Amino acid sequence: MYGMWTAHQRVYVKYIKRAIDVVISTIALPFMAIAILAFSPIIFLSDRGKVFFNADRIGKNGKLFKMYKLRSMKMNSPDIRNEDGSTYNGIIDPRVTRIGRFMRRNSIDELPQVLNVLLGDMSFIGPRPDPPDDMEVYTDEQKNKLLIRPGITGCNQAYYRNSVIQNEKFEHDLYYTKHISFMLDMRIIVKTVGTVMLRSNVYNE
């Protein structure tokens, strides 16, 4: 797929997009730290557990990395999947703490991923970061999403969030990878702000 990109897309992916990520994540880091300091005691006191949830995810070129999140579930909660293999995220989920529900509705649990962006594991905008076992269900074409860094937000997170099935999410990621551009990223950012503010499609069943 790399050969299908235009010269402008190759320059954007290789140089400009990463430079933007580094600048914005550096600026955002102090604000992220303040938010984490504010929520950490509440998360800990909710069930005397860890503040962070560090999950293995598939990164660029299939390399695994630790994705950082604020913990929204009770300690040692079981992994529950929907029929399509996606992670269950229901409106009534006894695994999720009270503060966890608030953080999920407002995407606050995703804030530590700013550090993932600064480290180069992720981008602010890109395909959704999938768990390692999803590698087994990708088609050969869908694996092309691994040519770029996964994102905190992207086509799925901005336009659909949790309202579509797993294979549709993979296809949206592939669309983004094929059509990646600065203008597409800007549209995704604007849509993401609206989705988070309206708390759209937070849950799946």
Side-chain angles (χ1 to χ4, degrees):
M1 182 181 292
Y2 186 84
M4 297 172 58
W5 284 338
T6 66
H8 286 95
Q9 284 178 306
R10 289 195 291 271
V11 170
Y12 179 64
V13 171
K14 191 171 183 179
Y15 301 109
I16 300 174
K17 187 173 175 66
R18 179 58 188 155
I20 292 172
D21 282 339
V22 171
V23 171
I24 295 178
S25 59
T26 301
I27 295 171
L29 204 60
F31 300 98
M32 178 203 76
I34 293 170
I36 290 174
L37 286 172
F39 279 91
S40 292
I42 307 173
I43 296 169
F44 173 76
L45 292 172
S46 66
D47 66 346
R48 294 295 196 278
K50 297 178 180 178
V51 171
F52 295 98
F53 172 70
N54 303 328
D56 287 330
R57 290 292 182 265
I58 306 170
K60 184 180 178 182
N61 298 323
K63 181 180 177 181
L64 296 183
F65 70 97
K66 290 287 185 184
M67 185 182 74
Y68 307 125
K69 296 182 71 173
L70 291 173
R71 183 173 60 86
S72 59
M73 287 188 178
K74 298 172 184 177
M75 292 294 296
N76 304 314
S77 292
D79 183 19
I80 301 176
R81 298 295 182 98
N82 295 308
E83 290 183 4
D84 64 355
S86 61
T87 301
Y88 174 77
N89 185 22
I91 191 169
I92 301 175
D93 188 340
R95 299 174 302 164
V96 181
T97 63
R98 183 177 298 179
I99 186 62
R101 285 193 289 272
F102 174 82
M103 291 192 299
R104 285 187 175 193
R105 286 197 302 269
N106 296 282
S107 296
I108 293 169
D109 57 324
E110 311 284 352
L111 286 176
Q113 289 163 38
V114 170
L115 183 58
N116 284 121
V117 174
L118 187 61
L119 293 173
D121 300 322
M122 297 178 66
S123 175
F124 278 106
I125 305 164
R128 59 193 293 270
D130 295 316
D133 54 357
D134 280 2
M135 183 72 82
E136 300 174 8
V137 299
Y138 290 156
T139 65
D140 288 340
E141 186 178 17
Q142 287 168 351
K143 288 178 181 177
N144 284 313
K145 64 178 279 186
L146 304 178
L147 290 172
I148 56 178
R149 293 178 178 87
I152 296 178
T153 188
C155 286
N156 280 301
Q157 300 93 318
Y159 289 91
Y160 309 100
R161 212 164 183 180
N162 291 308
S163 65
V164 293
I165 63 173
Q166 178 119 303
N167 270 333
E168 288 183 77
K169 292 178 181 178
F170 291 159
E171 293 306 315
H172 298 151
D173 289 337
L174 190 60
Y175 173 89
Y176 174 80
T177 305
K178 288 179 178 179
H179 298 88
I180 189 169
S181 69
F182 177 75
M183 290 307 299
L184 178 56
D185 281 357
M186 292 301 101
R187 290 199 295 272
I188 289 172
I189 288 175
V190 171
K191 182 62 178 176
T192 299
V193 172
T195 298
V196 172
M197 291 183 67
L198 295 174
R199 300 175 180 175
S200 303
N201 302 318
V202 176
Y203 302 104
N204 63 35
E205 298 291 346

